[in-house]
Amino acid sequence: MSGRGSEADEPPVRERAQLVLAAAALVAIALAPVVVAYLQLGYHADVTASEEYDAPGRNAERLLSRAVHDAAADVPDDFAWDERTAAVNAVRADLRPRVDALRASRVESGTVYQVEYNQSAAESWSDANCPGGPDTDRQFGDCETLRGVVVQERAGETHVLAVAFDVRVTTANSEMDVLLLVRAR
């Protein structure tokens, strides 16, 4: 025996290679419609879902909403109505670290926040939401707007109703101005 009998039991290498090649061609043909559909539909990344987009206006609104809520929470317990100027100063002092944090928050990534109080927007909100005069059925006392903060007299105490901000957000691609009127809860 020359040893040729053992080679007859193994499939030839050439046939195995052709089988692998045929399987690869079949997979490529099966994936072709997916690739064609992908190319025909086109793909445009959703900018608002990408990592680079972080909705800077909404970020400012969320941060300032929490800050106003926290700053206004203890005002009625700490300040009588005749101390409303001190109450507004205390609210603004409580807001200062959060506003400063917002201003510095994204500078390294190219987003700059400029935040200022907006007295005229606060007055407009107060005029619309705190009606005055003898013919109004008021449950609470007068409202007053001081330095962008709307306060109201309730049972001799000072209550913070809202704070108005002008926020300018500058990024590498855009600049937007946002007026935020944050109601205290």
Side-chain angles (χ1 to χ4, degrees):
M1 295 244 176
S2 64
R4 289 186 175 234
S6 64
E7 290 178 14
D9 294 338
E10 295 178 16
V13 174
R14 185 174 182 169
E15 287 179 19
R16 192 177 312 150
Q18 288 176 346
L19 181 61
V20 170
L21 188 58
L26 186 62
V27 169
I29 291 171
L31 290 177
V34 173
V35 172
V36 170
Y38 178 79
L39 292 174
Q40 284 179 340
L41 292 175
Y43 175 75
H44 186 274
D46 184 2
V47 174
T48 61
S50 68
E51 286 184 31
E52 292 84 30
Y53 186 83
D54 61 354
R58 284 187 294 206
N59 288 342
E61 183 177 7
R62 277 192 304 270
L63 185 137
L64 292 173
S65 292
R66 284 190 299 259
V68 167
H69 172 71
D70 292 346
D74 294 330
V75 169
D77 296 333
D78 296 341
F79 297 96
W81 179 242
D82 61 346
E83 300 171 313
R84 60 191 169 274
T85 302
V88 168
N89 291 338
V91 167
R92 287 177 59 121
D94 284 349
L95 290 173
R96 186 175 301 117
R98 300 254 184 105
V99 169
D100 289 344
L102 178 63
R103 288 177 179 144
S105 65
R106 305 284 298 170
V107 172
E108 74 283 348
S109 66
T111 301
V112 177
Y113 293 92
Q114 295 171 314
V115 182
E116 303 297 332
Y117 290 89
N118 186 320
Q119 176 69 15
S120 62
E123 288 172 351
S124 296
W125 186 89
S126 178
D127 291 345
N129 292 283
C130 295
D135 296 336
T136 57
D137 182 24
R138 297 174 62 122
Q139 295 177 356
F140 302 114
D142 293 331
C143 287
E144 192 169 327
T145 305
L146 302 166
R147 301 174 57 215
V149 180
V150 180
V151 292
Q152 185 176 40
E153 184 270 323
R154 295 182 181 178
E157 298 173 340
T158 302
H159 287 259
V160 176
L161 300 184
V163 181
F165 299 97
D166 283 324
V167 180
R168 173 171 281 177
V169 183
T170 306
T171 66
N173 301 325
S174 67
E175 184 174 293
M176 75 173 88
D177 291 319
V178 180
L179 170 63
L180 294 177
L181 193 114
V182 181
R183 294 182 67 168
R185 296 183 195 120

